[in-house]
Amino acid sequence: MGVGDDMENQTTTKHHRGIGSRGGDQDLLGPPPRPVVPLVYADFGDDALSPQWTSWLVPLFVVANVIVFFVVMFVNNCPKNSKSLGPDQHCVARFLGRFSFQQLRDNPLFGPSSLTLEKLGSLDWYRVVEKHQAWRLLTCIWLHAGVIHLATNMLSIVFIGTRLEQQFGFVRIGVIYLMSGIGGSILSSLFIRHSISVGASGALFGLLGSMLSELLTNWTIYSNKIAALLTLLFVILINMAIGILPHVDNFTHVGGFLTGFLLGFVLLARPQIKWLAKEHMPQDRRLTKYKPYQYILWLLSMALLVLGFVVALVLLFKGEDGNDHCHWCRYLRCIPTSKWSCDGV
């Protein structure tokens, strides 16, 4: 992952913060970029890759996100809070009562105010580091800036996560989802200090990253592997390109993707040699379940994952600004053009 320019002027916080919807537009009017949903590459495989489990965790995540959004809107209570902000403050869809949305000039995504999101756990560098509220690294992935932001993220998670859970089970996909969300939050906090951020797109990009590493580590057992790889790479590039638009929190996307990519090598490796029927297997032959390169990738990925999290967390809580150590990284979030400026992003 402006929606707050007018709204932020009414808050009493010490820092200027706009809503950073991961995978969505934060400070400009208009709907968020819609995540591109890939074809499920397992469809390119054979019967050995057919689903083994029933997906229930991914739908549960979706339901949880929807429930949290209703809770946020209930707390937001636009009709009540808008009265204290002035007579020119008008809620959208007032027939919804306390669930009505902030006016569109404050939040074009049909959602709550930034003040409500900040109160309920949005990602905010100042509160995470200076106020020692590290729990925001997790809670922010359950919050969304509006109905449009929620719908695009949840639809993408259903399309990507359901098939992965059917293939690998709820434990591994649940770990990838949560760890990728936290990884995206950590990287975002390292580089973005003056806006708040919410959304599950770090977890979403983690699932996307795990799809790529799963395809690579299980390369030999797939048919039509080139078609699957090209399709997946195209989808990843399109989504990353969306992230360089102004006011889109692409650091969350990158952090979630890298975390999921490494976890895919650790958690999603399949046996590379199919087990033969016992009567057809020579007595003196022992089949290897996993190939050596899979063990190497497992060890390297685990080491990089642990090292990355430790270094990033140490830098974050020491108050380091990632932009001081990587001057070109700002282009991951916004590339200035004749159509827009990246000043203040």
Side-chain angles (χ1 to χ4, degrees), residues 100-146:
S100 57
F101 312 117
Q102 296 296 128
Q103 58 180 334
L104 295 183
R105 69 178 183 180
D106 293 338
N107 189 341
L109 303 181
F110 297 96
S113 67
S114 63
L115 198 60
T116 299
L117 291 172
E118 189 173 0
K119 179 169 63 175
L120 295 181
S122 64
L123 186 63
D124 170 21
W125 177 88
Y126 176 75
R127 291 182 180 273
V128 170
V129 177
E130 300 295 336
K131 297 295 185 181
H132 308 292
Q133 297 176 359
W135 48 269
R136 289 177 178 268
L137 296 171
L138 176 62
T139 57
C140 64
I141 71 177
W142 304 97
L143 299 172
H144 286 82

Short mmCIF file of all heavy atoms in Angstrom, two decimals, residues 100-146:
data_model
loop_
_atom_site.label_atom_id
_atom_site.label_comp_id
_atom_site.label_asym_id
_atom_site.label_seq_id
_atom_site.Cartn_x
_atom_site.Cartn_y
_atom_site.Cartn_z
N SER A 100 -21.51 5.54 8.06
CA SER A 100 -21.31 6.36 6.87
C SER A 100 -19.85 6.77 6.74
O SER A 100 -19.09 6.76 7.71
CB SER A 100 -22.21 7.59 6.91
OG SER A 100 -21.97 8.34 8.09
N PHE A 101 -19.45 7.13 5.51
CA PHE A 101 -18.05 7.38 5.20
C PHE A 101 -17.68 8.85 5.35
O PHE A 101 -18.54 9.72 5.27
CB PHE A 101 -17.76 6.94 3.76
CG PHE A 101 -18.27 5.57 3.42
CD1 PHE A 101 -19.24 5.39 2.45
CD2 PHE A 101 -17.80 4.46 4.10
CE1 PHE A 101 -19.71 4.13 2.14
CE2 PHE A 101 -18.28 3.19 3.81
CZ PHE A 101 -19.24 3.02 2.83
N GLN A 102 -16.38 9.07 5.55
CA GLN A 102 -15.88 10.44 5.56
C GLN A 102 -16.12 11.07 4.19
O GLN A 102 -16.21 10.37 3.18
CB GLN A 102 -14.38 10.47 5.87
CG GLN A 102 -14.01 9.97 7.25
CD GLN A 102 -14.58 10.84 8.36
OE1 GLN A 102 -15.22 10.34 9.29
NE2 GLN A 102 -14.32 12.13 8.29
N GLN A 103 -16.20 12.39 4.15
CA GLN A 103 -16.40 13.04 2.86
C GLN A 103 -15.24 12.71 1.93
O GLN A 103 -14.11 12.48 2.36
CB GLN A 103 -16.54 14.54 3.04
CG GLN A 103 -15.39 15.24 3.71
CD GLN A 103 -15.64 16.73 3.83
OE1 GLN A 103 -16.38 17.30 3.04
NE2 GLN A 103 -15.04 17.35 4.82
N LEU A 104 -15.53 12.68 0.64
CA LEU A 104 -14.59 12.15 -0.34
C LEU A 104 -13.31 12.98 -0.46
O LEU A 104 -12.26 12.44 -0.81
CB LEU A 104 -15.27 12.05 -1.71
CG LEU A 104 -16.43 11.06 -1.78
CD1 LEU A 104 -16.98 10.99 -3.20
CD2 LEU A 104 -16.00 9.67 -1.31
N ARG A 105 -13.36 14.26 -0.16
CA ARG A 105 -12.13 15.05 -0.24
C ARG A 105 -11.15 14.66 0.86
O ARG A 105 -9.95 14.90 0.75
CB ARG A 105 -12.44 16.54 -0.17
CG ARG A 105 -12.94 17.02 1.18
CD ARG A 105 -13.15 18.53 1.14
NE ARG A 105 -13.56 19.04 2.44
CZ ARG A 105 -13.80 20.34 2.66
NH1 ARG A 105 -13.68 21.20 1.67
NH2 ARG A 105 -14.15 20.75 3.86
N ASP A 106 -11.66 14.06 1.93
CA ASP A 106 -10.80 13.56 3.00
C ASP A 106 -10.37 12.12 2.74
O ASP A 106 -9.23 11.75 3.01
CB ASP A 106 -11.53 13.64 4.35
CG ASP A 106 -11.77 15.05 4.79
OD1 ASP A 106 -11.05 15.94 4.31
OD2 ASP A 106 -12.68 15.27 5.62
N ASN A 107 -11.29 11.30 2.25
CA ASN A 107 -10.99 9.90 1.99
C ASN A 107 -11.78 9.43 0.76
O ASN A 107 -12.93 9.06 0.87
CB ASN A 107 -11.34 9.04 3.21
CG ASN A 107 -10.85 7.60 3.05
OD1 ASN A 107 -10.56 7.15 1.96
ND2 ASN A 107 -10.77 6.88 4.15
N PRO A 108 -11.15 9.44 -0.41
CA PRO A 108 -11.85 9.05 -1.64
C PRO A 108 -12.08 7.56 -1.77
O PRO A 108 -12.68 7.11 -2.74
CB PRO A 108 -10.91 9.56 -2.74
CG PRO A 108 -9.56 9.52 -2.12
CD PRO A 108 -9.77 9.88 -0.68
N LEU A 109 -11.60 6.77 -0.80
CA LEU A 109 -11.75 5.31 -0.87
C LEU A 109 -12.99 4.82 -0.14
O LEU A 109 -13.18 3.62 0.02
CB LEU A 109 -10.50 4.63 -0.28
CG LEU A 109 -9.18 5.01 -0.94
CD1 LEU A 109 -8.03 4.24 -0.30
CD2 LEU A 109 -9.21 4.76 -2.44
N PHE A 110 -13.86 5.76 0.30
CA PHE A 110 -15.08 5.41 1.04
C PHE A 110 -14.74 4.65 2.33
O PHE A 110 -15.00 3.45 2.45
CB PHE A 110 -16.04 4.57 0.17
CG PHE A 110 -16.55 5.30 -1.03
CD1 PHE A 110 -15.92 5.14 -2.26
CD2 PHE A 110 -17.63 6.16 -0.93
CE1 PHE A 110 -16.38 5.81 -3.38
CE2 PHE A 110 -18.09 6.84 -2.04
CZ PHE A 110 -17.47 6.67 -3.27
N GLY A 111 -14.14 5.39 3.26
CA GLY A 111 -13.73 4.77 4.50
C GLY A 111 -13.69 5.77 5.64
O GLY A 111 -14.31 6.83 5.59
N PRO A 112 -12.93 5.45 6.70
CA PRO A 112 -12.88 6.28 7.90
C PRO A 112 -11.86 7.40 7.78
O PRO A 112 -11.18 7.54 6.76
CB PRO A 112 -12.45 5.28 8.97
CG PRO A 112 -11.56 4.33 8.21
CD PRO A 112 -12.16 4.21 6.85
N SER A 113 -11.73 8.17 8.83
CA SER A 113 -10.73 9.23 8.87
C SER A 113 -9.36 8.64 9.22
O SER A 113 -9.26 7.55 9.80
CB SER A 113 -11.11 10.28 9.92
OG SER A 113 -11.02 9.73 11.22
N SER A 114 -8.32 9.38 8.89
CA SER A 114 -6.97 8.94 9.25
C SER A 114 -6.80 8.92 10.76
O SER A 114 -6.03 8.12 11.30
CB SER A 114 -5.93 9.84 8.60
OG SER A 114 -6.05 11.16 9.08
N LEU A 115 -7.50 9.79 11.45
CA LEU A 115 -7.41 9.84 12.90
C LEU A 115 -7.92 8.55 13.53
O LEU A 115 -7.33 8.01 14.47
CB LEU A 115 -8.21 11.04 13.44
CG LEU A 115 -7.88 11.51 14.87
CD1 LEU A 115 -6.42 11.93 14.96
CD2 LEU A 115 -8.81 12.65 15.27
N THR A 116 -9.01 8.01 12.98
CA THR A 116 -9.55 6.73 13.46
C THR A 116 -8.59 5.59 13.19
O THR A 116 -8.35 4.74 14.06
CB THR A 116 -10.91 6.44 12.80
OG1 THR A 116 -11.84 7.47 13.14
CG2 THR A 116 -11.46 5.10 13.27
N LEU A 117 -8.03 5.55 11.98
CA LEU A 117 -7.09 4.49 11.64
C LEU A 117 -5.85 4.55 12.53
O LEU A 117 -5.33 3.52 12.97
CB LEU A 117 -6.68 4.61 10.17
CG LEU A 117 -7.77 4.30 9.15
CD1 LEU A 117 -7.30 4.65 7.74
CD2 LEU A 117 -8.17 2.83 9.22
N GLU A 118 -5.39 5.76 12.81
CA GLU A 118 -4.23 5.92 13.67
C GLU A 118 -4.54 5.43 15.08
O GLU A 118 -3.71 4.78 15.72
CB GLU A 118 -3.80 7.38 13.69
CG GLU A 118 -2.48 7.63 14.38
CD GLU A 118 -2.02 9.07 14.21
OE1 GLU A 118 -2.73 9.85 13.58
OE2 GLU A 118 -0.93 9.38 14.73
N LYS A 119 -5.72 5.71 15.55
CA LYS A 119 -6.11 5.30 16.90
C LYS A 119 -6.23 3.78 17.02
O LYS A 119 -5.94 3.20 18.07
CB LYS A 119 -7.45 5.96 17.26
CG LYS A 119 -7.97 5.59 18.65
CD LYS A 119 -9.14 6.48 19.06
CE LYS A 119 -10.31 6.31 18.13
NZ LYS A 119 -11.51 7.07 18.58
N LEU A 120 -6.63 3.11 15.93
CA LEU A 120 -6.90 1.67 15.98
C LEU A 120 -5.75 0.79 15.53
O LEU A 120 -5.90 -0.43 15.45
CB LEU A 120 -8.15 1.36 15.16
CG LEU A 120 -9.45 1.97 15.70
CD1 LEU A 120 -10.63 1.57 14.82
CD2 LEU A 120 -9.70 1.52 17.13
N GLY A 121 -4.59 1.39 15.20
CA GLY A 121 -3.43 0.54 14.95
C GLY A 121 -2.76 0.66 13.61
O GLY A 121 -2.06 -0.27 13.19
N SER A 122 -2.92 1.77 12.89
CA SER A 122 -2.23 1.92 11.61
C SER A 122 -0.72 2.00 11.83
O SER A 122 -0.23 2.28 12.92
CB SER A 122 -2.72 3.19 10.90
OG SER A 122 -2.39 4.34 11.66
N LEU A 123 0.02 1.76 10.75
CA LEU A 123 1.48 1.81 10.82
C LEU A 123 1.93 3.26 10.82
O LEU A 123 1.59 4.04 9.94
CB LEU A 123 2.08 1.07 9.63
CG LEU A 123 3.61 0.93 9.63
CD1 LEU A 123 4.07 0.10 10.82
CD2 LEU A 123 4.07 0.30 8.32
N ASP A 124 2.71 3.62 11.81
CA ASP A 124 3.16 5.00 11.98
C ASP A 124 4.54 4.96 12.63
O ASP A 124 4.68 4.50 13.77
CB ASP A 124 2.15 5.77 12.84
CG ASP A 124 2.65 7.15 13.26
OD1 ASP A 124 3.56 7.67 12.60
OD2 ASP A 124 2.13 7.70 14.24
N TRP A 125 5.56 5.43 11.91
CA TRP A 125 6.93 5.33 12.39
C TRP A 125 7.08 5.96 13.79
O TRP A 125 7.73 5.38 14.67
CB TRP A 125 7.88 6.04 11.42
CG TRP A 125 9.31 6.04 11.89
CD1 TRP A 125 10.24 5.07 11.67
CD2 TRP A 125 9.94 7.03 12.71
NE1 TRP A 125 11.42 5.40 12.28
CE2 TRP A 125 11.27 6.60 12.94
CE3 TRP A 125 9.52 8.23 13.27
CZ2 TRP A 125 12.17 7.34 13.69
CZ3 TRP A 125 10.42 8.97 14.04
CH2 TRP A 125 11.73 8.51 14.23
N TYR A 126 6.52 7.12 13.99
CA TYR A 126 6.68 7.82 15.26
C TYR A 126 6.15 6.97 16.42
O TYR A 126 6.80 6.84 17.46
CB TYR A 126 5.95 9.16 15.22
CG TYR A 126 6.00 9.92 16.54
CD1 TYR A 126 7.16 10.56 16.95
CD2 TYR A 126 4.87 9.97 17.36
CE1 TYR A 126 7.21 11.25 18.15
CE2 TYR A 126 4.92 10.65 18.57
CZ TYR A 126 6.08 11.29 18.96
OH TYR A 126 6.12 11.95 20.16
N ARG A 127 4.98 6.38 16.24
CA ARG A 127 4.39 5.59 17.33
C ARG A 127 5.09 4.24 17.49
O ARG A 127 5.21 3.72 18.60
CB ARG A 127 2.90 5.39 17.07
CG ARG A 127 2.10 6.69 17.20
CD ARG A 127 0.62 6.45 16.99
NE ARG A 127 -0.13 7.69 17.12
CZ ARG A 127 -0.60 8.17 18.26
NH1 ARG A 127 -0.39 7.51 19.38
NH2 ARG A 127 -1.28 9.31 18.29
N VAL A 128 5.56 3.66 16.39
CA VAL A 128 6.26 2.38 16.48
C VAL A 128 7.60 2.53 17.19
O VAL A 128 7.95 1.75 18.08
CB VAL A 128 6.46 1.78 15.08
CG1 VAL A 128 7.42 0.58 15.13
CG2 VAL A 128 5.13 1.34 14.48
N VAL A 129 8.36 3.55 16.80
CA VAL A 129 9.73 3.71 17.30
C VAL A 129 9.77 4.56 18.57
O VAL A 129 10.32 4.14 19.60
CB VAL A 129 10.63 4.32 16.21
CG1 VAL A 129 12.04 4.55 16.76
CG2 VAL A 129 10.68 3.41 14.99
N GLU A 130 9.21 5.76 18.51
CA GLU A 130 9.30 6.67 19.64
C GLU A 130 8.37 6.28 20.80
O GLU A 130 8.71 6.46 21.96
CB GLU A 130 8.99 8.10 19.19
CG GLU A 130 9.94 8.63 18.11
CD GLU A 130 11.36 8.78 18.62
OE1 GLU A 130 11.55 8.92 19.85
OE2 GLU A 130 12.29 8.76 17.77
N LYS A 131 7.21 5.76 20.47
CA LYS A 131 6.24 5.36 21.49
C LYS A 131 6.30 3.86 21.81
O LYS A 131 5.53 3.36 22.63
CB LYS A 131 4.82 5.72 21.04
CG LYS A 131 4.58 7.22 20.87
CD LYS A 131 4.69 7.95 22.19
CE LYS A 131 4.33 9.41 22.03
NZ LYS A 131 4.44 10.16 23.32
N HIS A 132 7.21 3.15 21.16
CA HIS A 132 7.44 1.72 21.41
C HIS A 132 6.17 0.88 21.21
O HIS A 132 5.92 -0.07 21.95
CB HIS A 132 7.99 1.51 22.83
CG HIS A 132 9.18 2.36 23.14
ND1 HIS A 132 10.41 2.18 22.54
CD2 HIS A 132 9.33 3.42 23.98
CE1 HIS A 132 11.28 3.07 22.99
NE2 HIS A 132 10.64 3.84 23.87
N GLN A 133 5.42 1.20 20.17
CA GLN A 133 4.20 0.46 19.86
C GLN A 133 4.46 -0.49 18.69
O GLN A 133 3.90 -0.36 17.61
CB GLN A 133 3.06 1.43 19.55
CG GLN A 133 2.68 2.30 20.73
CD GLN A 133 1.61 3.33 20.39
OE1 GLN A 133 1.14 3.44 19.27
NE2 GLN A 133 1.22 4.11 21.40
N ALA A 134 5.33 -1.46 18.93
CA ALA A 134 5.72 -2.39 17.87
C ALA A 134 4.55 -3.24 17.38
O ALA A 134 4.59 -3.75 16.26
CB ALA A 134 6.84 -3.31 18.38
N TRP A 135 3.51 -3.38 18.18
CA TRP A 135 2.35 -4.17 17.78
C TRP A 135 1.69 -3.62 16.52
O TRP A 135 0.97 -4.34 15.81
CB TRP A 135 1.33 -4.23 18.91
CG TRP A 135 1.01 -2.92 19.56
CD1 TRP A 135 1.61 -2.37 20.65
CD2 TRP A 135 -0.01 -1.98 19.15
NE1 TRP A 135 1.05 -1.15 20.96
CE2 TRP A 135 0.05 -0.89 20.06
CE3 TRP A 135 -0.95 -1.96 18.14
CZ2 TRP A 135 -0.81 0.20 19.96
CZ3 TRP A 135 -1.81 -0.87 18.03
CH2 TRP A 135 -1.73 0.19 18.93
N ARG A 136 1.96 -2.36 16.18
CA ARG A 136 1.38 -1.77 14.97
C ARG A 136 1.92 -2.42 13.70
O ARG A 136 1.29 -2.35 12.64
CB ARG A 136 1.64 -0.26 14.93
CG ARG A 136 0.84 0.52 15.96
CD ARG A 136 1.19 2.01 15.93
NE ARG A 136 0.37 2.74 16.89
CZ ARG A 136 -0.80 3.31 16.61
NH1 ARG A 136 -1.28 3.24 15.37
NH2 ARG A 136 -1.48 3.97 17.53
N LEU A 137 3.09 -3.04 13.79
CA LEU A 137 3.64 -3.75 12.64
C LEU A 137 2.72 -4.90 12.21
O LEU A 137 2.73 -5.31 11.04
CB LEU A 137 5.02 -4.30 12.97
CG LEU A 137 6.12 -3.27 13.27
CD1 LEU A 137 7.37 -3.97 13.79
CD2 LEU A 137 6.44 -2.45 12.03
N LEU A 138 1.93 -5.41 13.14
CA LEU A 138 0.99 -6.49 12.84
C LEU A 138 -0.43 -5.98 12.65
O LEU A 138 -1.13 -6.39 11.71
CB LEU A 138 1.01 -7.53 13.97
CG LEU A 138 0.01 -8.69 13.85
CD1 LEU A 138 0.28 -9.50 12.58
CD2 LEU A 138 0.08 -9.59 15.07
N THR A 139 -0.88 -5.08 13.52
CA THR A 139 -2.27 -4.65 13.45
C THR A 139 -2.59 -3.89 12.16
O THR A 139 -3.73 -3.95 11.68
CB THR A 139 -2.63 -3.75 14.65
OG1 THR A 139 -1.73 -2.62 14.69
CG2 THR A 139 -2.50 -4.52 15.96
N CYS A 140 -1.61 -3.21 11.60
CA CYS A 140 -1.89 -2.40 10.40
C CYS A 140 -2.32 -3.25 9.21
O CYS A 140 -3.01 -2.75 8.31
CB CYS A 140 -0.67 -1.56 10.03
SG CYS A 140 0.78 -2.52 9.55
N ILE A 141 -1.94 -4.54 9.19
CA ILE A 141 -2.29 -5.36 8.03
C ILE A 141 -3.75 -5.81 8.07
O ILE A 141 -4.25 -6.38 7.08
CB ILE A 141 -1.36 -6.60 7.90
CG1 ILE A 141 -1.65 -7.62 9.01
CG2 ILE A 141 0.10 -6.18 7.93
CD1 ILE A 141 -0.81 -8.88 8.88
N TRP A 142 -4.44 -5.53 9.16
CA TRP A 142 -5.86 -5.89 9.26
C TRP A 142 -6.76 -4.68 9.05
O TRP A 142 -7.99 -4.82 9.07
CB TRP A 142 -6.16 -6.52 10.63
CG TRP A 142 -5.31 -7.71 10.91
CD1 TRP A 142 -4.16 -7.75 11.63
CD2 TRP A 142 -5.51 -9.04 10.42
NE1 TRP A 142 -3.64 -9.03 11.63
CE2 TRP A 142 -4.45 -9.84 10.90
CE3 TRP A 142 -6.51 -9.64 9.62
CZ2 TRP A 142 -4.35 -11.19 10.62
CZ3 TRP A 142 -6.40 -10.99 9.34
CH2 TRP A 142 -5.34 -11.75 9.83
N LEU A 143 -6.17 -3.52 8.86
CA LEU A 143 -6.93 -2.29 8.65
C LEU A 143 -6.91 -1.91 7.17
O LEU A 143 -5.93 -2.18 6.48
CB LEU A 143 -6.35 -1.14 9.48
CG LEU A 143 -6.33 -1.32 11.00
CD1 LEU A 143 -5.54 -0.18 11.65
CD2 LEU A 143 -7.75 -1.36 11.56
N HIS A 144 -7.99 -1.26 6.72
CA HIS A 144 -8.04 -0.79 5.34
C HIS A 144 -8.61 0.62 5.28
O HIS A 144 -9.42 1.01 6.11
CB HIS A 144 -8.88 -1.75 4.48
CG HIS A 144 -8.18 -3.03 4.18
ND1 HIS A 144 -8.16 -4.08 5.08
CD2 HIS A 144 -7.43 -3.41 3.11
CE1 HIS A 144 -7.44 -5.08 4.56
NE2 HIS A 144 -6.99 -4.69 3.37
N ALA A 145 -8.15 1.37 4.29
CA ALA A 145 -8.51 2.77 4.20
C ALA A 145 -9.92 3.00 3.71
O ALA A 145 -10.46 4.10 3.88
CB ALA A 145 -7.53 3.49 3.27
N GLY A 146 -10.54 2.01 3.08
CA GLY A 146 -11.89 2.19 2.59
C GLY A 146 -12.43 0.94 1.94
O GLY A 146 -11.75 -0.09 1.82
#
